[in-house]
Amino acid sequence: MPQRPIYRIAALAVSAAVLLSSASFGFDAAWQSQFTLPAYAAQDPLTATSRDPGASAGAPDVNAAADDAGTPADAHASDAPGTSDVSGASDAPGASDVSGEQHNAAAAPQAPSSPIPAPQPSVALSNRIVDYDISVKLLDGGRLEGSETLTWKNPGRKPVTDLYLHLYPNAFSPGSTFLKESNGQLRGVKMTPGKDGAMELSELTTEDGETLLPRLRYVQPDDGNAQDRTLASFRLPKAVAPGQTVTVRMKFTVELPQVFARMGQAGDFVMAGQWFPKVAAYETTGVRGRTAEGWNLHQYHGNSEFYSDFGVYGVKIDVPEDRTVAATGFQYKQPVVKDGRKTYQFYAEDVHDFSWSASPDFVTAEDSFSSAGVPGVRIKLYLDPLHAKQEERYMHAAKSALAKLGEWYGDYPYTTLSIVVPPADAEGAGGMEYPTLVTGAAAKDDNPGYELERTLVHEIAHQYWYGIVASNEFEEAWLDEAFTSYTEDKLMAAIYGVSARTPIESLYMTNPMPLKLDAWDYGGSDAYAENVYMRGKLVLKAIEAKTGEKTMSKIMRTYFQKYRFKHPDSQSFQRVVEAVTKDDWKDFFHAYVYRGESADFAVASIRTEPDGEGGYQSIVLLTRTQGSPQAATVQFGFKDGKTVRKTWDGIQSHIQIRLQSASPLSYVAVDPMLDIVLDHSRYDNYLKAEAPARKRTKLDVTLGQLIDAIVGSMAW
């Protein structure tokens, strides 16, 4: 629709007022740093006094020395907003507030660094357990050299004597648990022989300079693999009292692997995910049902992803001058160019990880966006050149997804969303989520199909379940992946009219296992994907089928609002379902979440014979061998073409039904409309009446196995 200048001016004015009033979401900070020209300060930042680490106020200190990235102080989180009802969403994407787009097909020459006005302090949304001040330099050959100042706050009620660090890049070293379990491949991408990865700590000291490196030891709590060095611990000189903090300083190096599993390099492209020494999550009593507080400790496994506490990050990234950098959070200083190098500085708060990517080939574009539930965000694209012409598709998908997520579940609380599209030879870096940064599918085709949009909306949905709710992906990965897959289907249907094929997806299930399970206990990646992604999504769709779409929308919104920044568990979700529906869901969750059952309904037998009065008498035996009680439709078909449908309440494990009819019974089908999405053994849901028992059983099983095999081959 044509837009007249007066309407655009009015819209921009209203948008500016909304954005400037959104301090509770930190957007005032991004407005100053992203939407206005930098104001030159009277003081030279190179000669300014360095900040006091204990006196920061929740925002970068731009008066600090150029070598410092600014680390805010900890703050306690306020209670999450109250829940509200959701009555469904329209199919049209939310309206956007769009200022002019900016494009850059190559790295433009940079002006000398200029101080940007300091952002105003924002309200802490999380408990901010950790505070990271990191500087990293990208060297030739995919080597990173970094320094890190970590401040950790004890959130518990007991003194803590040891700290634990995740050293994830060591997963790509020979003998690691990750390589043993994954056989050196992930999602179909294989590790390049001789292109290992590793991390080494060269310094580990207290704030006063006392070395702690001799105290470092590697631990393997999951499998005892002495060659695995992805988790380390060290004893502190002094225990950290409840509510108090400890600061340690580190220097480290990372050898990036040839990317095949999320992080690494491919030519000049770098994806730095899980790249720095990261302190483990510390859970207090009551978090995720814990009866005693303590560290949540796990190695990096072939199937597992990640789990960390929320905090604040100030990160300085030094790269060759021709590289463009995308990163978590927002860039709060202009890049400094010197001696063929370029240094970026980023800041992020209320996030539990920090990632970045660099390439000389990125085609960039950015635009501002706001809608209901999205107070204001700067969407930034970093595209592989092969996808330069797909900019509009990426931007539309991002805006539409954010609008729907904000409308359905609640506010997107960050000021940026960066989208990185890796090159074809970095396929392993594609389709991954990090706080405020996602990667799309690798650019293999200059005009891809809907996999472009599907991958992107999936990763953006992760911002809510992985990023904000922040479940434990080590132990309950379904709370992220299944919730995201469920949301992905909703987004694709609402935005693009692409409906999910739920009845067919239910046939993919060949090895149902509990959803509340450590990721590595699924064994292979197929069983992990089948349960954590697919079956978990079907559990949510089964809840929707029982409650109705409107109530399910309220359940999902309530869960998000209640547990944003809170690290919930499966029982947390169960409590929300029961509170919203005012019903008991214990049997359902025990069967499908905790025991890993399927809903196996079957027509066990049919016996039909004349009744001696010109009609027929039939006896039908129905069974339910797994799952929780639920109603099922039963269809009876007769020789004269008539059909009758009845409802079995499914409470009993079996039921015998007697029928009197004028025409012989021809067949019986349980759930003929495929409404019971968790029934994956459908070959026994239908039975013809006239076949002898032995012949009939063999025929039905053979046909059922054939159908399952065909569908299964299509799935993978």
Side-chain angles (χ1 to χ4, degrees):
M1 183 174 68
Q3 293 183 327
R4 299 183 180 180
I6 186 65
Y7 294 150
R8 290 179 60 83
I9 293 172
L12 289 172
V14 171
S15 175
V18 171
L19 300 180
L20 288 174
S21 65
S22 301
S24 62
F25 298 95
F27 192 75
D28 53 335
W31 174 268
Q32 293 184 67
S33 63
Q34 303 289 345
F35 293 84
T36 62
L37 294 175
Y40 288 86
Q43 187 178 26
D44 184 349
L46 297 179
T47 60
T49 303
S50 181
R51 63 167 175 79
D52 176 1
S56 54
D61 178 6
V62 296
N63 293 319
D67 287 343
D68 289 335
T71 306
D74 295 303
H76 291 285
S78 59
D79 291 337
T83 60
S84 59
D85 193 2
V86 176
S87 58
S90 63
D91 287 344
S96 63
D97 169 26
V98 181
S99 62
E101 294 187 3
Q102 300 176 7
H103 308 267
N104 178 26
Q110 300 294 325
S113 175
S114 301
I116 296 175
Q120 298 299 312
S122 62
V123 175
L125 302 178
S126 69
N127 53 7
R128 297 188 181 179
I129 298 298
V130 291
D131 189 314
Y132 290 93
D133 188 341
I134 308 175
S135 294
V136 63
K137 187 174 186 179
L138 173 63
L139 302 175
D140 293 339
R143 180 181 175 86
L144 304 180
E145 289 185 354
S147 62
E148 173 178 319
T149 299
L150 164 67
T151 299
W152 180 80
K153 179 177 65 179
N154 181 355
R157 297 183 176 182
K158 297 180 179 180
V160 172
T161 59
D162 297 80
L163 286 187
Y164 289 83
L165 299 174
H166 290 289
L167 308 179
Y168 286 118
N170 285 331
F172 308 107
S173 296
S176 74
T177 294
F178 179 92
L179 292 182
K180 287 183 176 181
E181 293 178 350
S182 68
N183 198 27
Q185 61 180 337
L186 187 69
R187 299 184 293 187
V189 184
K190 295 183 178 180
M191 184 177 186
T192 303
K195 299 293 185 179
D196 301 337
M199 170 180 277
E200 289 290 340
L201 292 181
S202 56
E203 290 186 20
L204 175 63
T205 68
T206 66
E207 198 170 13
D208 297 328
E210 177 185 353
T211 182
L212 301 175
L213 201 56
R215 304 185 182 199
L216 189 74
R217 60 190 177 92
Y218 297 99
V219 294
Q220 302 83 19
D222 300 325
D223 65 358
N225 175 15
Q227 292 182 284
D228 188 84
R229 303 198 309 162
T230 58
L231 184 65
S233 72
F234 58 93
R235 177 61 55 93
L236 295 165
K238 180 182 178 182
V240 187
Q244 299 302 303
T245 63
V246 62
T247 298
V248 294
R249 303 185 189 279
M250 294 169 258
K251 289 187 178 179
F252 63 93
T253 58
V254 174
E255 299 292 341
L256 293 172
Q258 177 71 22
V259 63
F260 77 98
R262 306 182 181 97
M263 73 167 294
Q265 63 170 336
D268 290 332
F269 172 84
V270 166
M271 184 67 235
Q274 311 302 329
W275 56 279
F276 60 95
K278 183 194 292 187
V279 68
Y282 190 91
E283 296 180 323
T284 56
T285 301
V287 172
R288 302 180 52 254
R290 284 192 78 126
T291 57
E293 67 181 72
W295 295 101
N296 187 268
L297 301 175
H298 296 294
Q299 300 154 239
Y300 192 2
H301 291 267
N303 286 334
S304 70
E305 292 193 19
F306 314 103
Y307 177 50
S308 303
D309 281 318
F310 286 97
V312 177
Y313 290 78
V315 181
K316 184 169 68 173
I317 305 170
D318 180 345
V319 296
E321 185 177 352
D322 65 343
R323 308 298 167 89
T324 299
V325 172
T328 292
F330 64 87
Q331 183 182 332
Y332 72 91
K333 285 188 178 181
Q334 288 189 350
V336 176
V337 178
K338 183 178 180 181
D339 299 330
R341 308 285 301 181
K342 186 190 299 182
T343 301
Y344 292 81
Q345 295 195 51
F346 292 89
Y347 175 77
E349 56 190 17
D350 300 309
V351 297
H352 50 75
D353 194 11
F354 187 100
S355 67
W356 57 277
S357 182
S359 173
D361 301 319
F362 282 142
V363 177
T364 65
E366 57 184 270
D367 198 7
S368 58
F369 175 73
S370 64
S371 70
V374 186
V377 62
R378 193 73 174 172
I379 301 173
K380 302 184 177 186
L381 304 182
Y382 300 85
L383 306 180
D384 182 80
L386 191 62
H387 278 195
K389 294 182 180 180
Q390 305 304 325
E391 173 197 326
E392 186 175 358
R393 290 175 63 183
Y394 281 105
M395 196 65 78
H396 178 268
K399 291 179 179 179
S400 301
L402 283 174
K404 286 299 178 187
L405 292 166
E407 178 184 352
W408 294 342
Y409 305 137
D411 290 342
Y412 179 76
Y414 305 115
T415 61
T416 58
L417 175 65
S418 296
I419 298 165
V420 174
V421 177
D425 59 350
E427 179 182 2
M432 189 58 194
E433 69 280 0
Y434 306 94
T436 78
L437 185 149
V438 301
T439 62
K444 298 180 177 180
D445 184 338
D446 63 357
N447 188 27
Y450 266 133
E451 65 269 17
L452 183 155
E453 285 82 4
R454 183 174 289 280
T455 300
L456 185 56
V457 302
H458 178 97
E459 303 309 330
I460 293 175
H462 269 302
Q463 294 298 305
Y464 276 65
W465 307 120
Y466 149 86
I468 302 171
V469 172
S471 305
N472 185 334
E473 292 188 285
F474 289 131
E475 300 176 6
E476 297 179 272
W478 86 284
L479 290 175
D480 172 38
E481 297 296 355
F483 279 60
T484 297
S485 296
Y486 172 87
T487 304
E488 169 202 321
D489 282 354
K490 293 289 186 182
L491 291 170
M492 290 301 293
I495 301 168
Y496 300 103
V498 177
S499 299
R501 299 181 296 172
T502 303
I504 295 179
E505 289 176 347
S506 67
L507 296 177
Y508 295 170
M509 299 297 101
T510 59
N511 184 25
M513 298 175 70
L515 296 178
K516 187 179 175 65
L517 190 68
D518 292 343
W520 48 97
D521 284 339
Y522 287 102
S525 59
D526 287 346
Y528 174 80
E530 177 182 311
N531 285 277
V532 167
Y533 288 78
M534 187 72 72
R535 203 176 74 82
K537 177 179 72 172
L538 293 176
V539 166
L540 296 177
K541 291 194 174 186
I543 297 173
E544 180 180 299
K546 291 169 69 71
T547 64
E549 188 172 1
K550 181 178 180 179
T551 299
M552 186 62 179
S553 296
K554 184 175 181 179
I555 288 170
M556 298 294 281
R557 183 179 180 92
T558 301
Y559 177 67
F560 174 79
Q561 293 285 340
K562 183 176 179 63
Y563 291 108
R564 62 202 301 262
F565 305 104
K566 296 291 180 61
H567 307 302
D569 62 357
S570 298
Q571 287 88 344
S572 304
F573 181 60
Q574 179 182 340
R575 286 193 293 270
V576 169
V577 174
E578 292 177 338
V580 172
T581 62
K582 296 178 174 59
D583 204 352
D584 183 0
W585 286 76
K586 180 174 65 177
D587 288 344
F588 181 94
F589 274 78
H590 277 215
Y592 300 127
V593 175
Y594 309 130
R595 291 199 299 264
E597 296 181 3
S598 293
D600 191 5
F601 287 81
V603 184
S605 65
I606 300 174
R607 188 171 77 243
T608 299
E609 55 188 24
D611 62 4
E613 299 179 1
Y616 295 87
Q617 177 179 279
S618 302
I619 300 177
V620 179
L621 178 62
L622 306 177
T623 62
R624 178 182 60 80
T625 56
Q626 292 189 66
S628 66
Q630 70 179 101
T633 299
V634 184
Q635 181 168 300
F636 303 90
F638 298 91
K639 289 281 189 178
D640 61 4
K642 294 182 179 179
T643 59
V644 174
R645 286 190 177 181
K646 295 181 179 293
T647 299
W648 173 30
D649 60 18
I651 294 176
Q652 310 91 338
S653 62
H654 64 277
I655 186 173
Q656 187 171 269
I657 300 175
R658 295 178 180 270
L659 295 174
Q660 292 291 137
S661 57
S663 178
L665 184 64
S666 176
Y667 70 87
V668 178
V670 180
D671 189 32
M673 303 304 293
L674 309 181
D675 295 324
I676 302 174
V677 299
L678 289 171
D679 189 347
H680 70 274
S681 300
R682 296 190 180 278
Y683 64 85
D684 56 4
N685 287 30
Y686 174 86
L687 194 59
K688 296 187 71 173
E690 66 269 27
R694 291 182 64 184
K695 178 180 177 182
R696 178 180 68 232
T697 302
K698 182 178 180 180
L699 176 64
D700 291 338
V701 170
T702 302
L703 288 175
Q705 290 175 338
L706 177 62
I707 292 171
D708 286 354
I710 292 173
V711 174
S713 66
M714 293 169 58
W716 304 111

